[in-house]
Amino acid sequence: MDMARHLITSAIPYINGIKHLGNLVGSQLPADLFARYQRGRGHEVLFLCATDEHGTPAELAAAKAGKPVPEYCAEMHQVQARIAEGFGLSFDHFGRSSSPENHRLTQHFAAKLYENGLIREVSETQMYSRADGRFLPDRYIEGTCPNCGFESARGDQCDNCTKQLDPVDLINPHSTISGSTDLEMRETKHLYLCQSQMKDELEAWIDSKTDWPVLTTSIAKKWLNDGDGLQDRGITRDLDWGIPVKRGDKDWPGMEGKVFYVWFDAPIEYIACAQEWVNAGKGGDWARWWRTDAGAGDVTYTQFMGKDNVPFHTLSFPATILGSGEPWKLVDYIKSFNYLNYDGGQFSTSRGRGVFMDQALEILPADYWRWWLLSHAPESSDAEFTWENFQASVNKDLADVLGNFVSRVTKFCRSKFGEVVPEGGAWGAQEKSVIDELTTRIRAYEGHMEAMEVRKSAGELRAIWVAGNEYLQEAAPWATFKEDPARAAAQIRFALNLIPLYAALSAPFIPFTARTMLEAMTLDADWPGDIAQALERMPAGHGFAVPDNLFAKIADDSREDWQQRFAGTRD
RNA sequence: GGGCCUGUAGCUCAAUGGUUAGAGCAGGGCGCUCAUAACGCCUUGGUUGGGGGUUCGAAUCCCUCCGGGCCUACCA
């Protein structure tokens, strides 16, 4: 097989707090699924993610925690890194958008864009809060809606009547941070990225991507063509914490004290993260992944993200890369996801509603979550987490279909032949028939995984597990053992060999369990090419151990407890 | 307001305009006894949100109405 090279990035999670299961299934988890699959197929993979650390919310969260921003971010990065590890997210590097590498690279891109005439200065007025000592983004200002009278209307939009607002329109405006009404419109100068100049180029590029998910292209087209078309975008902010506005390593006259906007520097971190990966001693050459003049021409680059991130990845970031005039690698495929809702509503951090990543790992192993989330990934529309559905899927798919299969095979063998692959007999028509079915299904599974059809992949994998139980029922080694022990030995040898096969195929979904299965069989993972051959990996005499039950069922009591615990404070 | 997505079995979801709309779960029946009372086989269940249209043929394309969701450029 040709060795391909896959660059894979997950949308980088914001530093402000621990993410919920909806965030996880929208980017990091499917990205990990794809990365593990491509590695399993023997391809070269660079899988990158990072924390997105700049912006107003980070500064406010640090202030609330009573810590300097750099310290707060460093701590939260560690927290997120540990949780990611707990979920088995197999990043080659988990970087930080505040890294020195990203500072240099972001300033470099700004210089190139400036040289190419794609940056202009704009003088504008923005709401300034004297009490808070800072400019406030529109949504940090609340007041009474001039249209409907709603008293908690945000400066960008009224949550009650959904009309778009300008903060100056609000009646009795005040800061949501301090409550202060001491606000004024103050003049400030900012840099804008001239995306509008690149509209045609971007549109032609989007149009060429006919295989992208509708969700991705429809959002991109909307931004390209809505109203007056693609608008130039401010890429600087008046904040303390961020990447100082410079042209390369030179000062930018008139922009002292300002930083780049987080949505300018965050995607650049995808590249800087590869440099961090090298500087951390994990890799030798980042350019062969990112520079088409240094070998990245044969790289396939895939991005994973929730739908809210699509405009930045389809338009702003490509504009940055193309506008630089340098040979950077552009994304080849953007896989986007809808949202996961929680039990009839949205996940809510402020109301403590829904399950967050740290809590999930406290109550159940990562594979339980990975399986449910991936097999219900919100691909075609928003999806919904309910505890009943979660309980049913985990108990049926994992415990009954896969876990019990491994249990019944290994325990039967131990009681009749000992913990060693039995000798005798040969495969017949039944085994041939199973090999044919598995071959068909595994090739279909590979097709779905290549296409990043997550739910279809999960469905096919489950059918592959079911085939093992069907075989046992038909072969009935417990019956043949009485008449023809050699035949039973061949049957159980065949069934035992399904275990490492299943482990290899299942590893992208449930890596921890897959490892347990392989360790019990004392084998390494090996992606099956020829299935008949793959089922000869454990010959007669090969020792194994009966593993503990792979999955515990979720009891009704536990489910009800969790349902209560994570319901949050409703209204 | 505008745009996009979505509505299919009790539940979660499939189905390049082409046989009788399919899976899993749940429900019912039978079988098996190796296994975590697990597994296998069979089976009930549909006016594809409503109405109209195009077509030899519509879940699929068009119009309209109803419901759900998302986005709408200063949260990230």
Side-chain angles (χ1 to χ4, degrees):
Chain A
M1 185 197 306
D2 292 335
M3 175 107 152
R5 300 173 61 216
H6 285 273
L7 174 62
I8 300 167
T9 60
S10 159
I12 65 178
Y14 198 63
I15 194 69
N16 177 15
I18 292 164
K19 304 296 116 177
H20 56 63
L21 296 181
N23 298 129
L24 178 64
V25 74
S27 53
Q28 292 176 321
L29 195 51
D32 183 68
L33 180 79
F34 191 59
R36 285 179 178 274
Y37 170 73
Q38 294 297 353
R39 288 195 200 102
R41 297 303 307 272
H43 298 312
E44 194 180 354
V45 168
L46 183 62
F47 177 26
L48 301 175
C49 192
T51 39
D52 177 12
E53 304 194 356
H54 299 134
T56 306
E59 290 192 353
L60 297 179
K64 193 174 175 186
K67 292 174 180 170
V69 192
E71 188 181 323
Y72 172 82
C73 289
E75 285 176 14
M76 287 307 300
H77 175 80
Q78 276 308 310
V79 168
Q80 293 210 21
R82 259 198 304 277
I83 294 172
E85 192 181 354
F87 269 97
L89 301 176
S90 59
F91 307 133
D92 289 294
H93 188 72
F94 187 59
R96 304 181 58 187
S97 70
S98 62
S99 67
E101 289 87 347
N102 198 36
H103 276 238
R104 270 198 304 276
L105 201 51
T106 298
Q107 289 163 344
H108 167 83
F109 271 107
K112 288 292 162 189
L113 291 165
Y114 175 79
E115 288 166 19
N116 293 335
L118 290 168
I119 286 183
R120 62 188 172 92
E121 294 184 1
V122 175
S123 230
E124 55 195 10
T125 54
Q126 289 185 359
M127 199 64 91
Y128 184 85
S129 166
R130 265 191 287 267
D132 296 297
R134 59 165 69 240
F135 284 94
L136 294 178
D138 292 353
R139 69 169 45 203
Y140 284 90
I141 297 162
E142 282 188 1
T144 302
C145 175
N147 302 302
C148 72
F150 182 61
E151 290 181 4
S152 303
R154 289 199 320 252
D156 56 340
Q157 186 176 36
C158 175
D159 279 339
N160 188 51
C161 68
T162 74
K163 283 212 164 59
Q164 288 172 64
L165 301 173
D166 196 290
V168 295
D169 299 333
L170 290 173
I171 301 160
N172 302 321
H174 59 270
S175 158
T176 59
I177 301 163
S178 60
S180 169
T181 55
D182 187 8
L183 307 172
E184 66 176 21
M185 292 305 283
R186 200 179 266 195
E187 185 155 337
T188 181
K189 191 162 64 173
H190 282 297
L191 301 181
Y192 273 61
L193 176 62
C194 301
Q195 304 184 129
S196 58
Q197 289 184 33
M198 305 181 65
K199 192 230 172 201
D200 292 344
E201 188 176 358
L202 289 167
E203 186 157 30
W205 177 66
I206 297 289
D207 283 340
S208 74
K209 304 300 184 185
T210 53
D211 60 334
W212 285 10
V214 183
L215 186 64
T216 304
T217 48
S218 65
I219 292 173
K221 300 285 276 187
K222 162 77 171 166
W223 280 58
L224 281 165
N225 297 311
D226 195 37
D228 299 327
L230 186 61
Q231 301 297 299
D232 294 344
R233 193 172 183 107
I235 57 164
T236 57
R237 290 291 184 274
D238 291 292
L239 291 173
D240 297 323
W241 171 240
I243 298 178
V245 177
K246 289 189 171 188
R247 293 177 197 152
D249 54 6
K250 297 186 179 60
D251 288 340
W252 201 308
M255 299 305 291
E256 295 81 7
K258 296 176 193 282
V259 299
F260 286 108
Y261 175 44
V262 353
W263 265 116
F264 184 67
D265 74 62
I268 295 172
E269 167 63 12
Y270 291 142
I271 306 174
C273 190
Q275 299 177 334
E276 290 178 53
W277 169 71
V278 170
N279 293 339
K282 299 175 185 172
D285 185 359
W286 63 267
R288 66 189 281 269
W289 291 97
W290 272 108
R291 295 281 299 207
T292 55
D293 59 344
D298 62 352
V299 167
T300 301
Y301 178 23
T302 310
Q303 295 176 340
F304 290 81
M305 70 199 65
K307 57 185 167 188
D308 51 334
N309 278 340
V310 168
F312 305 103
H313 290 80
T314 51
L315 303 169
S316 314
F317 186 44
T320 300
I321 282 187
L322 292 169
S324 74
E326 298 178 326
W328 298 101
K329 174 72 190 165
L330 265 179
V331 67
D332 294 298
Y333 192 88
I334 296 181
K335 175 74 176 178
S336 55
F337 290 86
N338 288 284
Y339 292 145
L340 179 69
N341 290 317
Y342 181 81
D343 199 16
Q346 295 184 332
F347 280 85
S348 168
T349 306
S350 56
R351 290 183 191 172
R353 190 180 139 72
V355 186
F356 289 73
M357 286 172 72
D358 55 338
Q359 302 169 324
L361 291 178
E362 282 165 19
I363 61 178
L364 286 171
D367 281 352
Y368 292 49
W369 299 106
R370 290 179 63 110
W371 174 253
W372 188 89
L373 290 168
L374 289 167
S375 62
H376 295 79
E379 288 177 302
S380 55
S381 64
D382 290 352
E384 175 158 316
F385 176 91
T386 65
W387 285 100
E388 288 83 358
N389 191 308
F390 177 66
Q391 178 191 29
S393 291
V394 164
N395 289 355
K396 198 71 197 173
D397 301 345
L398 296 182
D400 293 345
V401 176
L402 177 61
N404 185 54
F405 172 77
V406 172
S407 175
R408 64 194 295 206
V409 171
T410 53
K411 284 173 185 168
F412 180 83
C413 185
R414 179 172 63 185
S415 76
K416 305 298 186 207
F417 301 102
E419 286 181 84
V420 64
V421 178
E423 184 172 5
W427 298 353
Q430 283 180 343
E431 289 73 23
K432 174 72 167 58
S433 161
V434 175
I435 289 168
D436 288 347
E437 182 191 348
L438 286 175
T439 301
T440 303
R441 289 197 178 281
I442 289 168
R443 298 292 96 93
Y445 176 63
E446 291 166 353
H448 289 138
M449 289 292 270
E450 295 288 344
M452 287 161 273
E453 294 273 11
V454 178
R455 282 181 313 199
K456 285 181 183 172
S457 300
E460 198 60 53
L461 180 58
R462 187 189 191 282
I464 290 166
W465 297 339
V466 166
N469 285 312
E470 289 172 348
Y471 170 73
L472 282 183
Q473 184 63 32
E474 201 185 345
W478 50 89
T480 52
F481 183 75
K482 295 170 190 164
E483 318 293 326
D484 183 358
R487 175 75 188 128
Q491 291 170 333
I492 214 67
R493 188 166 69 246
F494 185 81
L496 280 168
N497 268 285
L498 288 173
I499 295 172
L501 175 74
Y502 287 177
L505 296 171
S506 308
F509 281 89
I510 47 173
F512 297 98
T513 307
R515 174 175 296 187
T516 300
M517 291 164 70
L518 288 166
E519 282 173 356
M521 298 301 112
T522 62
L523 278 183
D524 291 326
D526 185 37
W527 196 269
D530 180 80
I531 305 305
Q533 243 172 38
L535 293 173
E536 309 248 23
R537 290 190 69 210
M538 293 200 298
H542 182 99
F544 69 92
V546 175
D548 291 339
N549 285 341
L550 298 179
F551 302 98
K553 291 204 196 192
I554 296 171
D556 291 349
D557 287 354
S558 308
R559 186 202 69 209
E560 285 162 16
D561 284 351
W562 295 330
Q563 229 156 1
Q564 289 284 319
R565 178 174 158 196
F566 297 106
T569 52
R570 286 181 196 254
D571 298 321

